[in-house]
Structure formats: structure tokens, C-alpha cells
Amino acid sequence: MASANKLTLFIVIFMLAGILSGAAIHEYASADAIKAWSDNITLLTDIFLRLIKMVIAPLVFSTLTVGIMKLGETSTIGRVGGKAMVWFISSSVLSILVGLFIVTLEHPGSGLNLTVPTEAVDTGLAVGGMTLKAFLSHTIPTSIAGAMSNNEILQIVVFSMFFGIGGASLGQKFNAPLVAALDVVSHIMLKVTGYVMYVAPLAIFAAISSVIATQGLGILLNYASFIGGYYVAILITCMVLLAVGYMVLKKEVFRLVSMLKDPVLVAFTTSSSEAAYPKTLEQLERFGCSRNIASFVLPIGYSFNLVGSMVYCSFASMFIAQAYNIHLSFSEVTVLMLTLMLASKGIAGVPRSSLVVLAATIPSFNIPVAGILLLMGIDHFLDMGRSAINVLGNGIATAMLSQNEGAREAEAEAELVKQEA
């Protein structure tokens, strides 16, 4: 936690330094000097982007495969896992729609009028001629090595799902060593991601200084609009989750929220939902959830039920598109949101991991990956909100599934007693 606090402090310091240096250069330097500064200082951002892209393929493969293989193959796990996945997908869609609605209504990126960097445009998935055939060709891999070398995130996700399901079908006796090995790989990659984030302050300084040197301090007003709109979307999503939880848990949902306030606060202050995992599991058991159900559903939720990340990804991707005046049609937005939802599955437990998802996904839609650096200076404050709601969303989902499964078991026992009588 101390290390995370130091990183946050450095991010704030370098962000302020970027603002001051950019403002001074914008005010006092000549046009040629401003251009030279912006062109050269962004070398730091290029280094950071290469480092963060470096971890994408192994991180997605290891975390997603382990998550699937831990599902097991008994009837109970299959039934509960199926219910969980239905809810996880539904909550992801709801969260994406809330984020899209608010960002479209508010248009926080309008007015930035940034120029699309030629070198940042990735034509791996041509937006202009997007068809179902083109989408499928970039979804189904012909070679996992090729998919990983090109960071084709959807292809990696598809392969990982097949690999994980195949491994799970072998049973724990055969797949346990592989699960353990991949689990180690996932933890190593999370560590590497943490190391890469230490470069973030320099990248933030370079990105903000370059933008403000070119655009002036007026651009900061757009950040206030972004943060306000984002937290409105977070609060609306919380209300939706509570409403659905009330339908299943009735008034008990308020007791659940009261019991989850400590782990939610831990996630908020550390900007990491993983830090709140032990306390969340403990509180769910105290609430009355079956230990077996909670121990199974909660970790799966940490990979598949990231409602806060879904709000963020939809909000941030459209903000970047607005900042560069990139118009996406309804079908293109739909595919982008679907891609973000699939790409986010399996990447959790590390602060600012959503940036990895954005960096991997938006270039395929001709949205410059450099646009994520517009948000890195404030990303810690955004990460606090999405980590907190991730914990709340997983807690509500686990409690609902536990109660549903408990009611099913009670009905089965009652039926058995009736037959014996």
C-alpha cells in the first residue's frame, strides 16, 4: 500500500510539473519551439506505450485461462458457473450502456480538437469497411503465436477460452500442475505490470506537458467534465445493481451493503479491488452466503464481473474518440463495446489495468492509443471509483447466487422429504 501511495504521489507531482511546464512553454515559447518540445518529449510516452503493450498477451492468456480452468466440471459448479456467467454478462452490458449514455449525453471530449497522430493509427481492423466477415477474421486466430506477436486481443481471448475449457475437461487430477504454472505466470505478469507503472509518472509528465504546450491550460476544463460525468455514471450503475439486488435479496440488500462498506472503502483508497478480496469474502460469509458458493463465485467475478471497468472503458474510449473528432457509427460503437467487454475479462487485480484493455483495443477502431495518456494524469481518481464498484458488484452478485442456490437446495430437500413421507 505504501508503494502504491508513493506512485500516486509521484503521478500527482509529475502531472503538476507537466501542467506548469506546458503552460510556460505555451505562453513564452515560439511556435517552432513548442512543436520541437512536443515532438521530442513524447518519446517518453512511446517508451511507456511499448512497455505496457509488452504485457498484454501473456497477462490475458494466463489470467483468463486460469479463471476458466478453475470452473471445474461437476454439475453443481457447472450450474452455478452458468448462472454466474449469465449475470456477469448482463451486468457488463448494463454498465456499458450506462457509461455510453452519460458520455454521449455529456460529450466531455468535445472541444479538444486534437490531431490524430499518423503513427498512432492502427488499421488492423478497418473501420470504414467493417463487416461481419472482417470482424470474424480478426476474432478467430489462425495462429496463437501470430495473435500474441501482434497483440490481437480478441484472438487471444478466443484461444484462451478454448484452451481453458479443454483444460477444465481433463479434470483437476490432470490440469492442476498447469493451473498452478499459469497462476504463477499471471502473478508474474501482474508484478511486471506494476513495474511498468513506475514509468507512468514520466509518461504522464510528457503527455500533459505536450498537450498543454500545444493547446493551453483551457484543456483542463475538459477533465473536470470527464471526472464529473464518469462518477455520475458510476453512481447510476450502483443504483441499478442495488435495484437488481433488491429484487432477489429484498431488504437484506441494505444489510449487505452496510457489511461491504469496509472492503469497498479499502478498494476505493487503494484503487485495487484485489486488496479488498479477503475482507469481501469474510463479510459475505458473515452475511450468510455459503462458503463453497462464495469461494467459487467471488474469484470468478474478479475476472468476469468488472462493472466499474466496463463503465470506465465505454466512457474513456468514447471520450478519446470525441477528443480526436472521430465519429463512430452505431454498428462500430456496438462492436467496440463488445470488444472491450471481451478484452476486459481476465484482467483484474492491479491498479490501472483498464488502461491495458484500452491500449489493446482502441487502435483496431482507428482511435489513437496515445489518447489514453490524456487520462493517465487523472486515472488514479477514476480507478478508485471503478475498483470500489467492482467490489460492490461482485458482493451483490455472490449474495444473489448464493441465495438462489440455497433456495434451490431447500426446495430439493423439501421434495425429498415429501417423497419419503
Side-chain angles (χ1 to χ4, degrees), residues 263-284:
V264 167
L265 183 60
V266 168
F268 185 79
T269 54
T270 62
S271 69
S272 173
S273 53
E274 187 178 60
Y277 178 86
K279 191 68 174 177
T280 304
L281 184 60
E282 176 188 338
Q283 293 296 82
L284 285 171

Side-chain angles (χ1 to χ4, degrees), residues 150-204:
N150 295 319
N151 269 340
E152 290 281 358
I153 188 68
L154 262 183
Q155 295 184 7
I156 297 171
V157 168
V158 169
F159 177 82
S160 299
M161 291 178 66
F162 276 99
F163 190 88
I165 292 170
S169 68
L170 296 177
Q172 187 176 1
K173 179 180 177 181
F174 292 99
N175 68 29
L178 181 58
V179 171
L182 288 176
D183 198 35
V184 171
V185 171
S186 67
H187 281 84
I188 290 174
M189 295 318 301
L190 290 175
K191 278 287 186 182
V192 172
T193 304
Y195 298 148
V196 170
M197 292 310 300
Y198 286 117
V199 185
L202 289 174
I204 290 167

Side-chain angles (χ1 to χ4, degrees), residues 101-182:
F101 174 75
I102 299 299
V103 76
T104 303
L105 186 67
E106 185 188 15
H107 274 277
S110 299
L112 293 183
N113 298 319
L114 300 180
T115 302
V116 177
T118 304
E119 65 276 7
V121 176
D122 183 349
T123 56
L125 185 58
V127 176
M130 186 178 297
T131 62
L132 178 60
K133 182 179 180 180
F135 174 67
L136 290 177
S137 70
H138 287 275
T139 301
I140 310 299
T142 56
S143 166
I144 185 56
M148 288 189 169
S149 65
N150 295 319
N151 269 340
E152 290 281 358
I153 188 68
L154 262 183
Q155 295 184 7
I156 297 171
V157 168
V158 169
F159 177 82
S160 299
M161 291 178 66
F162 276 99
F163 190 88
I165 292 170
S169 68
L170 296 177
Q172 187 176 1
K173 179 180 177 181
F174 292 99
N175 68 29
L178 181 58
V179 171
L182 288 176

Side-chain angles (χ1 to χ4, degrees), residues 16-42 205-217:
L16 294 175
I19 293 172
L20 294 175
S21 62
I25 293 170
H26 180 80
E27 184 69 23
Y28 300 109
S30 64
D32 290 339
I34 291 175
K35 186 178 185 305
W37 171 261
S38 298
D39 290 343
N40 289 296
I41 196 65
T42 50
F205 167 79
I208 292 181
S209 182
S210 174
V211 170
I212 293 182
T214 304
Q215 301 287 334
L217 282 170

Side-chain angles (χ1 to χ4, degrees), residues 18 25 38-39 59 79 82 94 139 149 189-190 214 244 249 262 327 341 361:
I25 293 170
S38 298
D39 290 343
L59 184 59
R79 183 178 64 252
L94 286 172
T139 301
S149 65
M189 295 318 301
L190 290 175
T214 304
V244 176
L249 302 173
D262 285 344
H327 175 71
M341 184 174 73
T361 304

Side-chain angles (χ1 to χ4, degrees), residues 42 45-46 49 53 115-124 320 324 326 358-359 361-373:
T42 50
T45 69
D46 293 339
L49 288 175
K53 287 181 178 181
T115 302
V116 177
T118 304
E119 65 276 7
V121 176
D122 183 349
T123 56
I320 296 170
Y324 286 98
I326 296 173
L358 286 176
T361 304
I362 61 176
S364 295
F365 296 82
N366 288 349
I367 302 174
V369 69
I372 67 173
L373 293 167

Side-chain angles (χ1 to χ4, degrees), residues 257-329:
V257 171
S258 177
M259 296 182 69
L260 289 177
K261 66 179 184 298
D262 285 344
V264 167
L265 183 60
V266 168
F268 185 79
T269 54
T270 62
S271 69
S272 173
S273 53
E274 187 178 60
Y277 178 86
K279 191 68 174 177
T280 304
L281 184 60
E282 176 188 338
Q283 293 296 82
L284 285 171
E285 290 180 16
R286 287 184 57 197
F287 176 74
C289 295
S290 163
R291 181 178 180 83
N292 291 335
I293 299 297
S295 298
F296 169 67
V297 174
L298 193 59
I300 300 294
Y302 266 65
S303 289
F304 294 94
N305 191 36
L306 305 175
V307 290
S309 299
M310 290 295 89
V311 174
Y312 173 83
C313 286
S314 61
F315 204 96
S317 59
M318 295 306 295
F319 168 80
I320 296 170
Q322 292 168 4
Y324 286 98
N325 294 316
I326 296 173
H327 175 71
L328 300 176
S329 67

